[in-house]
């Protein structure tokens, strides 16, 4: 057996002044050419890829070295990585790629990138072992059939060196500019000044806690009242900490993650103020706004490859100029990025994805970092970035993460698909149909929780998805948005969720209830996202989760899987109890059985409060149906009272118009759904909003699904009812009430319209700065 090659010691910063670049990152930057090609080829999941690599390397004999570390310094740039495997007897270096389907369908641009990575590893190996050449083997391993397809090329050391140096020459120019940018950025951030004359009360305490957290690479839960400027405080502090100090290396990037569009806009506004983006004194900070692909796409009727979309054709040939312009422009909002993309005829969405590598701050939705296969997390791990996370309105992450890690396969859509699917897919579709029918025969009740995943069904679904992927690769026109593509995406999501199934989730079968559909829906429902989120916290250098509603903090920490040493801070409210009159209406019950009886006393109370103090109010309800009933009753009894209402599926302009009705001198009542777009994240200071009516405790509906979740949470944490119903509901209530008092000059009234708000166990969960809610036996003015 040949001895293992010596490992090179890591080079010092003096050896590599241009920094370190991974082999894959170098090739992504400098070796890609031609079209953007995202044809629908089936691909393994991350864990399947790891298992596939292990399977291939386990088949090799003596002298085979796995995960071989290689490193070379060239022109002040250190290039490093781990080669998949090296046969020291045959002198053959292997680059292993897992796949599904026919390897001949792997795109030419993707295959070229794979060969580029193999050649770079080949050069590093030749340098490290002083070889005059090496056999390079690109191994495509089909994870479904366990078949290897080897492609072998012989390269001399001079050939590999020339290829490597050409890539490094291209990358080094960019690396020098990036190094200069980082030095200028860090110098500016060390001198960053808070953009207002003074901190608000409580804002400085929050900023100090965030600064300490990000300076020491910790995780922080920060509860702070609405209206103190949490967005500005957290961004200012995290940016001040970014350059690091003697003990901490600082952060490469800051990810500001939000649940809703208003939160993203508030963050961009704060960053604009902090960086003075439109002034000669602008701080050299690259800020990137990321939106969903369907909101950035210029050609939604075309597929993402050069034969269909003009912006995909030659994308990588035009990308360097677009990337350079974007890097110099620095402020990369959705609008700015779109304009730059148009000027260079590239796809704005994928230009934004490329610029994530070079941004200092990225602002986007939770899913960019926490979802299955989230690009921000994947790039963080692949590139070894030191990332700071700011998680805005973090209480929303619990339900959002549950949705990310849950999936449902509905029988109705599948049956419709079978009728219209291509003939080539009939056999695998029929096989899944038989598996589904067999599963239905085991069901004994309308909602049946299974003790484990139905293994045969999942295996058949995997094969069907592979067959559909092969079909799309051979018939790309069928991959345009349609029933087959949409169902395929849903099925792939089910498989991704199934792969991580465990005690944190439930798997159940649910009958249609109408009798029209024979087969049950198969659902995998995440109950506790914590075990699935824990690796995301571990991948970040530091993180701050902040919200006005993180209490009880054990509840949030348990469900989000935060580290045991997570720091906690509860910032006292700057507001005086006298600013907010909190009143309970014990004569009203909003329980389902009492809804109709509640309408008249509710609207009479609202009208009396409005008559006693005219102005702008928000009224929150548990559902659109309840909202509409109350609105109809109010308009019938008090037709002169101005009202406007949230509607289902409002567009962004419609939501803006709803908020615009709350003017400084306006009067009327806006009707909204608790927990919806207007229950948090909107800022209506002064006389724009003087009161709120909250006609619900916000408790989730008692139904078989929630009862199963309650049972699982009871088993895990011993607080099933509180974790399922009480805490999530009251979070929504406190958020909605927080719209009323936004500054230390505001005054207002909050009406809690349900007798259960008088209970001590409920009042203990309300903000401490509220006076004990006053009982009102009669409506105001009566």
């Amino acid at each position: 057996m040949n001895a293992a090659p010596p490992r090179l010691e890591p080079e010092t910063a003096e050896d590599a002044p241009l920094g370190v670049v991974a082999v894959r990152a170098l090739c992504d930057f400098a070796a890609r050419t031609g079209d953007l090609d995202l044809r629908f080829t089936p691909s393994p999941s991350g864990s399947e890829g790891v298992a596939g690599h292990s399977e291939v390397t386990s088949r090799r004999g003596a002298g085979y070295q796995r995960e071989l570390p290689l490193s070379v310094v060239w022109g002040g740039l250190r290039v490093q990585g781990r080669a998949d495997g090296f046969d020291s007897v045959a002198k053959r270096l292997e680059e292993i790629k897992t796949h599904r389907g026919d390897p001949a369908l792997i795109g030419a641009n993707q295959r070229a990138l794979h060969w580029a990575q193999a050649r770079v590893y080949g050069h590093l190996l030749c340098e490290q072992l002083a070889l005059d050449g090496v056999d390079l083997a690109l191994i495509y391993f089909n994870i479904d059939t366990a078949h290897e397809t080897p492609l072998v090329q012989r390269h001399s050391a001079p050939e590999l060196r020339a290829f490597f140096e050409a890539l490094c020459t291209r990358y080094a120019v960019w690396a020098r500019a990036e190094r200069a940018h980082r030095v200028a950025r860090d110098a500016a951030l060390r001198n960053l000044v808070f953009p207002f004359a003074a901190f608000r009360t409580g804002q400085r305490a929050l900023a100090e806690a965030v600064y300490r957290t990000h300076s020491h690479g910790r995780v922080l839960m920060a509860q702070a009242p609405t209206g103190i400027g949490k967005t500005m405080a957290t961004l200012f502090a995290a940016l001040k900490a970014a350059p690091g100090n003697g003990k901490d290396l600082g952060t490469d990037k800051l990810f500001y993650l939000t649940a809703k569009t208003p939160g993203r806009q508030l963050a961009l506004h704060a960053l604009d103020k902090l960086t003075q983006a439109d002034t000669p004194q602008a701080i050299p900070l690259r800020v990137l706004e990321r939106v969903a692909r369907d909101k950035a796409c210029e050609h939604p009727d075309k597929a993402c490859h050069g034969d269909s979309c003009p912006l995909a054709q030659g994308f990588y040939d035009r990308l360097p100029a677009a990337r350079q312009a974007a890097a110099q422009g620095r402020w990369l909002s959705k609008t700015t990025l779109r304009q730059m993309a148009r000027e260079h005829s590239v796809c704005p969405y994928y230009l934004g994805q490329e610029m994530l590598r070079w941004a200092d701050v990225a602002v986007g939705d939770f899913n960019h970092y926490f979802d299955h296969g989230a690009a921000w997390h994947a790039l963080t791990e692949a590139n070894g970035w030191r990332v700071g996370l700011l998680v805005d309105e973090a209480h929303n992450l619990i339900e959002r993460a549950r949705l990310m890690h849950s999936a449902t396969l509905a029988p109705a859509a599948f049956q419709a698909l079978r009728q219209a699917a291509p003939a080539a897919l009939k056999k695998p579709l029929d096989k899944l149909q038989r598996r589904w029918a067999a599963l239905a025969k085991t069901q004994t009740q309308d909602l049946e929780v299974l003790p484990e995943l139905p293994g045969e069904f999942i295996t058949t679904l995997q094969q069907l998805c592979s067959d559909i992927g092969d079909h799309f690769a051979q018939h790309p026109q069928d991959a345009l948005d349609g029933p087959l593509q949409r169902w395929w995406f849903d099925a792939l999501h089910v498989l991704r969720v199934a792969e991580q199934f465990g005690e944190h989730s439930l798997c159940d079968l649910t009958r249609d209830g109408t009798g029209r559909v024979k087969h049950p829906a198969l659902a995998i429902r995440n109950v506790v996202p914590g075990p699935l989120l824990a690796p995301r916290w571990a991948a970040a250098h530091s993180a701050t989760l902040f919200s006005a509603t993180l209490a009880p903090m054990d509840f949030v920490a348990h469900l989000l899987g935060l580290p045991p040493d997570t720091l906690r801070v509860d910032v006292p409210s700057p507001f005086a109890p006298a600013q907010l009159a909190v009143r309970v209406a014990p004569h009203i019950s909003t329980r389902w059985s009492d809804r109709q009886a509640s309408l008249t006393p509710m609207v009479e109370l609202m009208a009396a409060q409005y008559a006693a103090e005219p102005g702008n109010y928000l009224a929150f309800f548990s559902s659109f149906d309840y909202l509409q009933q109350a609105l109809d009753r109010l308009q019938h009894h008090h037709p002169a009272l101005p009202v406007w209402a949230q509607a289902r599926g409002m567009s962004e302009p419609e939501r803006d118009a709803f908020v615009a009705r709350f003017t400084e001198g306006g009067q009327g009542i806006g009707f909204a759904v608790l927990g919806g777009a207007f229950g948090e994240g909107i800022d209506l200071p002064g006389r724009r909003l003087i009161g709120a009516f909250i006609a619900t405790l916000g408790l989730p509906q008692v139904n078989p699904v929630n009862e199963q979740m309650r049972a699982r949470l009871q088993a895990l944490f011993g607080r099933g009812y509180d974790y399922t119903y009480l805490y999530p509901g009251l979070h929504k209530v406190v958020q909605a009430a927080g719209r009323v008092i936004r500054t230390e000059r505001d005054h207002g009234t909050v009406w809690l319209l349900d007798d259960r708000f008088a209970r001590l166990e409920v009042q203990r969960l309300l903000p401490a700065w509220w006076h004990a809610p006053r009982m009102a036996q009669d409506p105001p003015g009566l």
Side-chain angles (χ1 to χ4, degrees), residues 270-583:
L271 285 163
D272 182 50
K273 187 80 173 176
L274 278 165
T275 62
Q276 307 174 67
D278 297 324
T279 70
Q281 297 79 33
I283 289 175
L285 194 75
R286 291 191 195 127
V287 176
L288 173 67
E289 178 187 12
R290 288 295 276 153
V291 298
R293 186 164 68 174
D294 60 348
K295 293 185 178 180
C297 182
E298 296 282 5
H299 298 287
D301 60 326
K302 294 178 172 59
C304 292
H305 58 79
D307 294 336
S308 177
C309 179
L311 299 182
Q313 188 176 48
F315 173 86
Y316 288 109
D317 299 327
R318 297 187 296 274
L319 178 60
R323 179 171 54 208
Q324 183 68 36
Q328 293 174 347
R330 295 203 295 258
W331 186 261
L332 304 176
S333 66
K334 177 178 69 173
T335 302
T336 304
L337 202 63
R338 184 181 187 189
Q339 181 60 38
M340 288 182 176
R342 283 182 171 177
E343 291 172 358
H344 292 86
S345 298
V346 296
C347 171
Y349 179 80
Y350 286 101
L351 174 60
Q353 185 160 297
E354 170 66 21
M355 292 313 299
L356 181 68
R357 301 171 185 271
W358 317 109
D360 301 302
V361 182
V363 180
D365 189 88
F366 287 161
N367 68 286
H368 290 298
Y369 188 80
F370 293 110
D371 206 350
H372 282 279
W376 296 16
H377 172 255
L379 287 169
T380 296
E381 292 218 306
N383 294 285
W385 292 338
R386 295 170 62 82
V387 166
L389 304 179
L390 293 178
V391 185
D392 184 18
E393 302 294 2
H395 63 280
N396 284 316
L397 182 56
I398 295 172
E399 193 57 36
R400 284 290 305 279
R402 280 174 171 164
L403 292 173
M404 293 173 197
H405 297 282
S406 299
T408 300
L409 206 59
F414 176 72
Q415 297 300 342
L417 184 69
R418 290 181 66 220
Q419 303 303 317
L425 295 174
K426 185 178 186 305
K427 185 175 180 180
L429 285 167
D430 287 347
K431 186 174 182 180
L432 185 65
Q433 161 74 6
R434 291 191 294 274
R435 292 291 188 202
W436 214 323
L439 202 56
K441 291 178 181 178
T442 68
Q443 187 173 7
T444 60
Q445 51 191 328
D446 288 344
L447 176 73
E448 181 150 337
V449 176
L450 303 178
E452 59 186 7
L453 289 177
E456 291 183 344
F457 181 92
I458 295 296
T459 300
T460 304
L461 182 64
Q462 287 175 331
Q463 185 56 55
L464 173 58
C465 286
S466 180
D467 292 338
I468 294 174
D470 285 346
H471 175 80
F472 282 154
Q474 294 167 0
H475 305 88
Q477 69 278 3
D478 291 351
L480 292 174
D481 190 30
L484 180 59
Q485 185 211 72
R486 290 193 294 272
W487 188 88
W488 187 53
F489 284 165
D490 290 342
L492 288 173
H493 181 58
V494 170
L495 293 176
R496 286 192 294 268
V497 171
E499 187 181 326
Q500 296 182 305
F501 185 76
E503 189 181 33
H504 49 71
S505 299
L506 300 168
C507 181
D508 63 60
L509 302 175
T510 307
R511 288 197 181 108
D512 172 59
T514 65
R516 292 192 296 268
V517 180
K518 294 181 180 179
H519 299 342
L522 173 71
I524 303 173
R525 306 179 198 274
N526 178 251
V527 180
V528 183
L532 304 172
L533 298 184
R536 307 302 168 99
W537 306 121
H541 168 256
S542 55
T544 293
L545 300 87
F546 57 100
S547 168
T549 48
L550 290 181
M553 287 193 178
D554 281 349
F555 161 67
V556 177
H558 286 158
L559 294 191
L560 293 183
L562 298 180
D565 64 347
T566 294
L567 303 171
R568 301 180 181 190
V569 63
D570 191 349
V571 179
S573 174
F575 308 130
Q579 288 181 255
L580 184 67
V582 183
R583 298 176 179 174

Side-chain angles (χ1 to χ4, degrees), residues 161-185:
R161 181 182 300 109
F163 180 79
F164 172 80
E165 290 182 347
L167 298 186
C168 287
T169 300
R170 269 174 255 160
Y171 186 82
V173 174
W174 181 267
R176 289 189 187 92
E178 285 302 292
R179 178 54 59 94
H181 167 77
R182 178 64 178 263
V183 170
R185 184 205 81 165

Side-chain angles (χ1 to χ4, degrees), residues 141-178:
F141 178 74
N142 188 316
I143 63 165
D144 294 320
T145 66
H147 178 72
E148 294 182 35
T149 303
L151 306 176
V152 182
Q153 295 179 357
R154 176 72 184 179
H155 287 274
S156 68
E159 289 174 335
L160 294 173
R161 181 182 300 109
F163 180 79
F164 172 80
E165 290 182 347
L167 298 186
C168 287
T169 300
R170 269 174 255 160
Y171 186 82
V173 174
W174 181 267
R176 289 189 187 92
E178 285 302 292

Side-chain angles (χ1 to χ4, degrees), residues 24 113 208 236 247 261 450 529 637 667 688 760 767 775:
R24 181 169 180 174
L113 181 63
E208 288 174 349
F236 171 70
K247 295 181 179 179
T261 300
L450 303 178
H637 285 216
Q667 295 184 353
R688 292 187 66 189
L760 185 58
M775 300 300 113

